[in-house]
Amino acid sequence: MPGGDLMDHPLRGLSLDELRRRTSVKWRTHPEDVLPLFVAEMDVLLAEPVVRAVRAALESGDTGYLAGTEYAEAYAEVADQRWGWQLDPAQTRLVPDVMRGVAEVLMLLTQPGDSVVINPPVYPPFAAGVRRLGREVIEAPLGPEGRLDLTVLEATLRGLRETGGRATYLLCSPHNPTGTVHTREELTAVGEVTRAYGVRVVVDEIHAPLVHAGSEFVPFVTVPGAEDAISLVSASKAWNLAGLPCALAVAGPEAVDDLARMPLEAQHGVSHLGSIAHVAALREGSGWLDALLVDLAENRLLLGDLLAERLPEVGYTPPEGTYLAWLDCRRLGLGDDPAAAFLDRGRVALVSGPTFGSGGDGHVRLNLATTPEILREAVERMARAV
């Protein structure tokens, strides 16, 4: 296992040639002349405790079906240490991954034809998954600064009640793609307005460990009015474990009975090996995560400097959380989907803004969890494409 700089600085030291040997979607979707900064994978080596735990499981043949509550207990330890969240493992259920968990929870709380409110621009599988379940997507867009617009949200919920429609609110916290970390005040206001209109809240909190200095992650089920909410959490994004998926549904105190109705088959496919990896990350990978956050903070600033120098027309607000950058490219004259131009002319793969729904036109999402060298080259190529 490499040590030294790669462990002290997880985003430093891996060369482009080394990364291109990977077989994940990030490195196999496009030809080798393309720099892939699209899908949410990080260009890191795993935390050593994760590798050690998975290796030991493989060597001992411990690859059967998952049992026990160790994942919930490990996540509860991190929640207490980092956010002061007294998470009760008895109020949780294992799910294969966060989006599968979102789907299962929505099936518990809604019926076909019900409405699910989302805040675009938002992670594309939100809308796609809701529609696949036979529910109607209702948009309550973010405000112009990329934050929750409580006035719009309340008007949306009021309109649904006046038409007799049943609604659930699917919240992304921290927000993908903007990297916004909702404040305690904002989340408390969400709890108040949803409670007032009898709307249940389901929260994707997968990026919770990836909140940067100066911002505070607030678990939604801990704010007033959110007692009947259900959150989905996981170690997968923070420790780069998408290929070893596992997640947890966490019920607020008034949602415990709802979560208890989740059928056992909903947990089929939960990865035993994934749980082993996640537990090791949660219990022994805090130092690695802290080092990663330092590297990400430096990349957030580096990206700002590079854009100011080479693409000053691009609007960029450093994300408060996540490793995703939401870039406003409307002043470049590249049309509604600038990602297409950056790929065709610059050979840089980014995520297309319009796929995130209303407010996405003219934008791209860039994954800055890579080496500084790749980040510099990517911005240079983007500038040449313009």
Side-chain angles (χ1 to χ4, degrees), residues 99 102 106 114-118 124-138 170:
M99 286 311 300
V102 166
L106 286 176
D114 285 353
S115 298
V116 178
V117 178
I118 62 174
F126 272 29
V130 167
R131 293 189 180 106
R132 192 160 49 248
L133 293 175
R135 279 63 171 171
E136 182 181 5
V137 173
I138 302 295
L170 179 55

Side-chain angles (χ1 to χ4, degrees), residues 44-355:
V44 293
L45 290 175
L46 296 184
E48 193 276 334
V50 174
V51 176
R52 185 172 65 241
V54 172
R55 181 185 293 124
L58 293 174
E59 289 176 347
S60 66
D62 187 13
T63 55
Y65 295 109
L66 178 61
T69 60
E70 191 174 15
Y71 192 169
E73 293 162 5
Y75 201 94
E77 293 164 12
V78 169
D80 186 22
Q81 293 163 5
R82 289 189 176 260
W83 313 306
W85 180 14
Q86 305 300 310
L87 188 160
D88 183 354
Q91 296 179 193
T92 70
R93 286 290 185 275
L94 280 165
V95 290
D97 56 50
V98 163
M99 286 311 300
R100 288 272 298 281
V102 166
E104 292 293 342
V105 171
L106 286 176
M107 285 191 287
L108 291 175
L109 302 182
T110 67
Q111 298 295 322
D114 285 353
S115 298
V116 178
V117 178
I118 62 174
N119 304 120
V122 71
Y123 185 48
F126 272 29
V130 167
R131 293 189 180 106
R132 192 160 49 248
L133 293 175
R135 279 63 171 171
E136 182 181 5
V137 173
I138 302 295
E139 294 189 347
L142 298 177
E145 301 302 318
R147 306 203 70 88
L148 295 175
D149 190 324
L150 276 303
T151 301
V152 168
L153 178 62
E154 182 172 13
T156 301
L157 300 185
R158 184 171 60 250
L160 286 168
R161 186 171 70 177
E162 289 172 352
T163 59
R166 289 181 26 160
T168 298
Y169 177 33
L170 179 55
L171 174 65
C172 192
S173 177
H175 196 84
N176 173 3
T178 63
T180 302
V181 176
H182 311 308
T183 65
R184 185 176 299 276
E185 292 74 21
E186 288 170 329
L187 293 176
T188 299
V190 169
E192 291 173 351
V193 71
T194 52
R195 193 76 163 185
Y197 287 95
V199 171
R200 302 291 295 276
V201 183
V202 181
V203 194
D204 173 356
E205 296 181 330
I206 196 170
H207 287 101
L210 293 168
V211 170
H212 304 297
S215 297
E216 174 195 15
F217 170 70
V218 178
F220 183 69
V221 298
T222 67
V223 304
E227 293 83 1
D228 61 353
I230 298 178
S231 296
L232 283 301
V233 301
S234 177
S236 63
K237 280 291 180 282
W239 282 274
N240 207 44
L241 300 172
L244 291 167
C246 202
L248 204 63
V250 184
E254 296 178 13
V256 175
D257 290 343
D258 290 311
L259 197 56
R261 293 189 292 107
M262 183 178 287
L264 286 177
E265 57 266 25
Q267 298 183 53
H268 290 174
V270 173
S271 169
H272 184 189
L273 202 59
S275 176
I276 289 170
H278 288 223
V279 168
L282 291 163
R283 287 193 164 145
E284 303 177 66
S286 61
W288 184 94
L289 176 61
D290 290 339
L292 171 71
L293 288 169
V294 171
D295 285 352
L296 288 174
E298 293 178 2
N299 275 8
R300 290 160 67 223
L301 296 177
L302 174 62
L303 178 60
D305 291 342
L306 293 170
L307 291 171
E309 178 184 351
R310 299 294 288 123
L311 287 168
E313 301 88 355
V314 171
Y316 166 63
T317 299
E320 298 169 328
T322 80
Y323 48 78
L324 307 170
W326 185 237
L327 306 183
D328 183 350
C329 303
R330 287 175 291 182
R331 293 174 59 195
L332 296 179
L334 298 177
D336 289 343
D337 187 12
F342 288 132
L343 178 59
D344 293 341
R345 305 179 200 170
R347 311 307 286 162
V348 177
L350 307 170
V351 183
S352 168
T355 65

Side-chain angles (χ1 to χ4, degrees), residues 346-379:
R347 311 307 286 162
V348 177
L350 307 170
V351 183
S352 168
T355 65
F356 293 87
S358 298
D361 287 356
H363 292 71
V364 298
R365 193 191 76 179
L366 180 149
N367 176 355
L368 54 79
T370 188
T371 68
E373 293 77 16
I374 291 176
L375 195 57
R376 289 189 185 95
E377 174 63 19
V379 174

